[in-house]
Amino acid sequence: MALEVRPVASKRDLTTFIKLPWRLYRNEPHWVPPLISERRRFLDRRKNPWFEHGEAQYWLAWRDGTAVGRITAQVDHVLNEFQDNRWGLFGFFECEDDPEAAAALFDAAEQWLRARGRDRMVGPADFTMNDECGVLVEGFELDPIILTNWTKPYYPRLIESVGLQKAMDTLMWHLEISGRDRVHPSIWRVADRVESKYGITVRPMRKKDIHAEIDRFLEVYNEAWERNWGFSPLTETEVRHYAKTLKPILDENWAFVAQKDGETVGAALTVPDYNQVFKHMNGRILPFGWLQFLLRRKKIDRVRVFALGVKREWQHTGVAARFYELHFDSAEVTPQTYGEMGWILETNKSMNRAMEGMGGRVVRRYRLFERLLDPDAVPSIAPADSEPVPAGEST
């Protein structure tokens, strides 16, 4: 049957774009449906503040009137300016195990990015690496934790079959946050000195002051992560948007700020795994999704450490260790006793070693790919002296 790739051009097309995963994953027990209303807002150019500095196009691949795949191509001008590069990105990739459809989707994205002077196509990222990104290459036997995805096992093969190559892996670490004896004793010794030696206080974020707290988080986030591969700083408008989105699921037991004489020196934002609730809502709040939300949210037993960072000049003080310690304290007074840390770049040796010191183990690995579009472009691989951390092995 003839294959056709067309841009998303109507509300009906957008609905098909959003709902395609329901057909592709209908027999996959580990897939967690996103909220349809949230996905619609996220993809709306008038409502998502990313579009203040980014542009994107969406496509669907059709066979005989049935959508068999989807993709986006996007240019993030903040990313390009901050990283001084000409990257183009792709995202929201979903496809049947159909190399012809996949090739046509990536070719459409490539042509769109070439027309905008991009030297490569990197992804998947929805729309940036601050959002869901990568395809799963390890950890298919687990339900995805909040703000991560579960993708088809054939995706890495399918993407490579149409000419993309690995660019970077990210790791998700499982941590038990009960049983302090699993943690190297030096972590606790360092944590004990944070206030007495350096005068740094660490406190929970205040939900009633969420906008100011998110400002403090942004101050740390944009500095602590600026050297990360593929990092795109959040704008103030995006932070306001995130604050509004996160407030309903923010738990003061799991979010912390470190300050020294009024200066914010570190922040840790951990959220309960609401995927354990969303899995039973089938993407809808009405008519009965809200009831599932109310019934199941108190049974959430794990968390996702979304971001934990310390400004560079304060990283020697043990603030990160103090954050870890407070997570163990919170596990003693909440239903959540374990969680996942990440994602963490495979090349981030210091953070991966810290996770091992905390008794963690890698349980998921996500992969980002790239296709070079300019003959002078070189692969955006890690430096030769920065070796990946093998999953489950010591470093």
Side-chain angles (χ1 to χ4, degrees), residues 71-359:
I71 200 169
T72 67
Q74 59 260 18
V75 175
D76 183 347
H77 297 292
V78 166
L79 167 70
N80 295 154
E81 181 179 353
F82 187 81
Q83 297 285 359
D84 190 24
N85 66 28
R86 292 192 294 123
W87 287 18
L89 303 174
F90 74 90
F92 294 90
F93 176 74
E94 302 284 0
C95 192
E96 293 182 359
D97 193 359
D98 181 341
E100 182 186 14
L105 287 166
F106 280 108
D107 287 348
E110 175 181 327
Q111 292 173 23
W112 190 87
L113 292 172
R114 281 185 181 276
R116 286 154 181 78
R118 302 304 93 192
D119 72 347
R120 72 195 64 226
M121 176 170 58
V122 182
D126 306 341
F127 290 107
T128 74
M129 290 186 67
N130 297 317
D131 304 301
E132 292 184 8
C133 58
V135 297
L136 199 61
V137 293
E138 294 177 14
F140 295 103
E141 72 282 5
L142 304 171
D143 286 356
I145 203 163
I146 190 169
L147 303 174
T148 67
N149 51 13
W150 191 96
T151 56
K152 290 283 191 176
Y154 62 78
Y155 277 6
R157 169 181 53 79
L158 184 63
I159 292 172
E160 289 177 348
S161 75
V162 297
L164 281 81
Q165 297 181 330
K166 173 188 171 181
M168 179 66 70
D169 281 0
T170 63
L171 309 179
M172 301 288 294
W173 288 81
H174 173 96
L175 292 173
E176 294 288 339
I177 41 181
S178 60
R180 297 174 187 249
D181 57 327
R182 297 186 182 92
V183 180
H184 197 284
S186 63
I187 299 289
W188 310 131
R189 290 196 296 269
V190 171
D192 287 342
R193 300 198 302 261
V194 170
E195 186 166 3
S196 61
K197 184 174 181 179
Y198 298 102
I200 297 172
T201 58
V202 183
R203 61 167 178 81
M205 287 187 184
R206 296 183 285 262
K207 197 169 184 177
K208 65 180 181 181
D209 195 23
I210 185 64
H211 291 291
E213 298 289 46
I214 293 295
D215 281 344
R216 297 180 182 105
F217 170 77
L218 174 66
E219 183 182 344
V220 175
Y221 186 78
N222 281 346
E223 179 181 320
W225 277 267
E226 66 180 355
R227 297 182 180 180
N228 263 7
W229 179 92
F231 175 74
S232 177
L234 293 170
T235 66
E236 183 176 349
T237 308
E238 287 176 296
V239 169
R240 299 296 179 200
H241 182 75
Y242 271 113
K244 183 178 179 180
T245 302
L246 288 173
K247 188 174 182 179
I249 65 172
L250 184 68
D251 186 331
E252 292 176 343
N253 290 296
W254 294 106
F256 309 100
V257 174
Q259 295 176 298
K260 165 74 173 178
D261 298 328
E263 177 190 357
T264 301
V265 303
L269 181 58
T270 294
V271 291
D273 179 26
Y274 274 84
N275 266 12
Q276 294 182 341
V277 177
F278 298 149
K279 185 171 184 177
H280 302 278
M281 294 173 63
N282 197 32
R284 298 184 181 278
I285 296 174
L286 298 174
F288 302 115
W290 64 273
L291 183 59
Q292 291 288 347
F293 184 89
L294 293 174
L295 291 174
R296 295 179 182 274
R297 63 178 179 173
K298 293 183 180 180
K299 298 179 181 180
I300 296 172
D301 63 358
R302 68 176 178 178
V303 294
R304 157 100 189 261
V305 183
F306 173 71
L308 187 155
V310 182
K311 291 181 178 178
R312 284 193 299 278
E313 63 267 33
W314 298 99
Q315 289 177 354
H316 67 286
T317 61
V319 172
R322 178 63 177 142
F323 285 148
Y324 299 148
E325 185 177 48
L326 287 173
H327 279 70
F328 275 78
D329 291 346
S330 294
E332 294 176 355
V333 296
T334 70
Q336 293 86 42
T337 59
Y338 72 104
E340 291 184 25
M341 177 79 175
W343 49 261
I344 301 173
L345 295 176
E346 64 178 344
T347 53
N348 188 339
K349 290 184 176 182
S350 61
M351 199 64 180
N352 285 304
R353 286 185 179 127
M355 291 302 97
E356 286 191 328
M358 289 291 295

